[in-house]
Amino acid sequence: MKFNLISCLVGVSAASAVCRAEGNNPPEPPKNYAVAMYNSFDIIDVFGPIDVLFYLSLMKQLNLNLIAETMDPVWMRPPNQELNKFDSNFTAAFKPTHTYDNPPDNVEVLIVPGGLGMRFGNSSDIAVDYVRKTYPKLKYLLTICTGAGIAAKAGVLDGKRATTNKSAWKEVMPLGPKVKWVSPARWTIDGNIWTSSGVTSGFDLIFEFIDKIYDKEVSRKIQGAVEHVRAKDACDDPFAEWHKVPPTGDCKASS
Amino acid sequence: MKFNLISCLVGVSAASAVCRAEGNNPPEPPKNYAVAMYNSFDIIDVFGPIDVLFYLSLMKQLNLNLIAETMDPVWMRPPNQELNKFDSNFTAAFKPTHTYDNPPDNVEVLIVPGGLGMRFGNSSDIAVDYVRKTYPKLKYLLTICTGAGIAAKAGVLDGKRATTNKSAWKEVMPLGPKVKWVSPARWTIDGNIWTSSGVTSGFDLIFEFIDKIYDKEVSRKIQGAVEHVRAKDACDDPFAEWHKVPPTGDCKASS
């Protein structure tokens, strides 16, 4: 298969490898990030990768957009009082920068977090619609944890390899019957779609993303600064067995 | 050494162990948490432990306070334009619940994050004053990453074992010349003061904290949910060698 300069500019990773092999300039790494926020998202699904990218933003020009239903704060909180059995008051509020009605028009990388809001209630439905509409314009889609369920509902994972939090496997799989679900897998890559397993696996996904899309040396510097002990093999997923998820798909394959 | 009921109620971990050994009721685990926020804090220093505690708050009654200089949003952002060499716009804003002038009066556990705001400029000075004033009333003080520098400046680590991010070792050590700095150490415990190494080591510290202060089974459940691959040994610190920090102190000892 031949790739020309236009394919290179599309920036998908498969094209990128071929562009390099052909001696063309690789596509410009992405600059413009957005997170698809909703109430009761998991904060580490968002701010794990974002913290790592923040340090990257001191070495490369990067921009961050946080999209939510309204410009009101978006909350880390239980999605309903039933789940807050002990009447805790353990919440935090984050300021969005855009609404889904008026989103930024230059998003290249969209991060889709999971969390209790995805698993209980309908607060993440608005993110499903946004992912469906926006995916064709993206360079990369990154889902963290049960964020894969949102992308599955949006239909953009159909026919693609993907993974999710192994503790929520039985809930998320049925949301994408045409998805090639993979377990064990700390993360998967299929074309321009990257998916990670549970919450803290987002760190491993984002370091792999920086390795592949930006620069391994920069990635290593940030790893040393945040002192993250990386899983460097996508198959290194102890939580598949922990949660008794039967093996399926090929964690090694990446396209 | 004899501990009576009053010592037990103080809630320090050494007393707690003795209380159990003497058959007294162990002290009630803490419910009321606060984070000492300031601009340009590291978001994972805060929200790593907070995410884990959020899941604990669904199983135990817990409350969270976020203290900052004013009620205006507190920012993840570079502390000055010089550090933002590439003119990135990669920021996020968080809503405090209290100010340092009017803090909550029932804080039992204070979490002190590090970050660029601690290392460059003076945005964290207000946290230093608060830690100094508040420490005598706390059940536990937890510092994450270079948050140990804030506690060191406050003088509350004097004579205590503590650690910090190994990539910032040479900057932080001089802030506490009377501190018994420990390296390698993924975390340290000395009385009611827990300190962790860099950023993501906060996950390992908080799981150890939940193991010791709450319940190992609950801790294991949350670990499975967030899929964190734990360092379970405080000496398991690959970043000491990575950053060429000479060995000092005893990572195993805990009092």
Side-chain angles (χ1 to χ4, degrees), chain A residues 207-222:
Chain A
F207 278 114
E208 185 72 12
F209 187 75
I210 297 174
D211 272 4
K212 288 231 162 73
I213 309 299
Y214 295 88
D215 183 319
K216 279 193 179 175
E217 201 39 54
V218 162
S219 168
R220 197 177 144 76
K221 268 189 200 161
I222 302 172

Side-chain angles (χ1 to χ4, degrees), chain A residues 42 55 57 86 88 197-198 227, chain B residues 42 55 57 61 88 197-198 227:
Chain A
D42 180 279
Y55 291 106
S57 82
F86 299 90
S88 291
S197 194
E227 296 195 346
Chain B
D42 180 279
Y55 291 106
S57 82
Q61 211 273 321
S88 291
S197 195
E227 296 195 346

Side-chain angles (χ1 to χ4, degrees), chain B residues 1-250:
Chain B
M1 192 190 284
K2 270 277 181 191
F3 283 84
N4 60 20
L5 189 60
I6 295 194
S7 314
C8 291
L9 290 172
V10 170
V12 299
S13 54
S16 161
V18 176
C19 295
R20 285 194 196 102
E22 292 188 347
N24 292 328
N25 287 331
E28 187 74 12
K31 289 180 177 183
N32 297 308
Y33 284 75
V35 182
M37 309 280 279
Y38 51 89
N39 282 313
S40 304
F41 68 101
D42 180 279
I43 38 172
I44 295 307
D45 289 9
V46 174
F47 291 107
I50 291 303
D51 195 45
V52 173
L53 291 167
F54 169 77
Y55 291 106
L56 182 65
S57 82
L58 304 180
M59 295 180 261
K60 311 261 175 194
Q61 211 273 321
L62 296 186
N63 305 304
L64 175 63
N65 304 286
L66 301 172
I67 313 174
E69 187 163 9
T70 70
M71 292 301 283
D72 291 338
V74 60
W75 290 84
M76 167 192 95
R77 68 182 180 200
N80 58 54
Q81 194 51 32
E82 240 169 84
L83 279 171
N84 190 18
K85 282 196 184 71
F86 299 90
D87 203 25
S88 291
N89 181 13
F90 207 90
T91 64
F94 307 86
K95 269 175 72 82
T97 61
H98 291 78
T99 64
Y100 287 111
D101 284 341
N102 196 17
D105 56 10
N106 62 354
V107 180
E108 295 167 285
V109 184
L110 180 65
I111 297 175
V112 182
L116 296 179
M118 186 270 148
R119 297 172 60 187
F120 302 91
N122 57 6
S123 71
S124 69
D125 287 356
I126 196 160
V128 173
D129 291 339
Y130 178 70
V131 169
R132 186 183 296 119
K133 279 190 296 198
T134 307
Y135 174 68
K137 293 181 270 182
L138 296 175
K139 281 191 179 171
Y140 300 97
L141 176 69
L142 277 45
T143 72
I144 312 296
C145 191
T146 53
I150 293 173
K153 282 186 180 179
V156 303
L157 298 185
D158 284 357
K160 307 273 188 181
R161 297 168 56 257
T163 198
T164 189
N165 190 319
K166 302 310 177 299
S167 76
W169 189 256
K170 286 181 192 164
E171 282 174 47
V172 175
M173 263 189 103
L175 303 177
K178 296 180 188 165
V179 179
K180 296 176 185 165
W181 294 106
V182 183
S183 174
R186 190 70 174 164
W187 70 86
T188 64
I189 310 170
D190 192 335
N192 67 349
I193 297 184
W194 295 56
T195 69
S196 88
S197 195
V199 186
T200 60
S201 65
F203 287 106
D204 297 317
L205 176 142
I206 204 69
F207 278 114
E208 185 72 10
F209 187 74
I210 297 174
D211 271 4
K212 287 232 161 74
I213 309 300
Y214 296 87
D215 183 319
K216 279 193 178 173
E217 201 37 54
V218 162
S219 168
R220 198 177 143 77
K221 267 188 200 161
I222 303 172
Q223 188 197 349
V226 304
E227 296 195 346
H228 175 60
V229 179
R230 279 179 71 175
K232 286 198 161 184
D233 180 339
C235 301
D236 183 5
D237 173 16
F239 296 97
E241 198 179 322
W242 175 305
H243 295 296
K244 300 187 175 54
V245 174
T248 179
D250 182 359

Side-chain angles (χ1 to χ4, degrees), chain A residues 36-83:
Chain A
M37 309 280 279
Y38 52 88
N39 282 313
S40 304
F41 68 102
D42 180 279
I43 38 174
I44 296 307
D45 288 10
V46 174
F47 291 106
I50 292 302
D51 194 46
V52 173
L53 292 166
F54 170 77
Y55 291 106
L56 181 65
S57 82
L58 304 179
M59 296 181 260
K60 310 263 175 193
Q61 210 273 321
L62 297 187
N63 305 304
L64 175 63
N65 304 287
L66 303 171
I67 313 174
E69 186 164 9
T70 70
M71 291 302 281
D72 291 337
V74 59
W75 290 84
M76 167 192 95
R77 68 183 180 201
N80 58 54
Q81 195 52 31
E82 240 169 84
L83 279 171

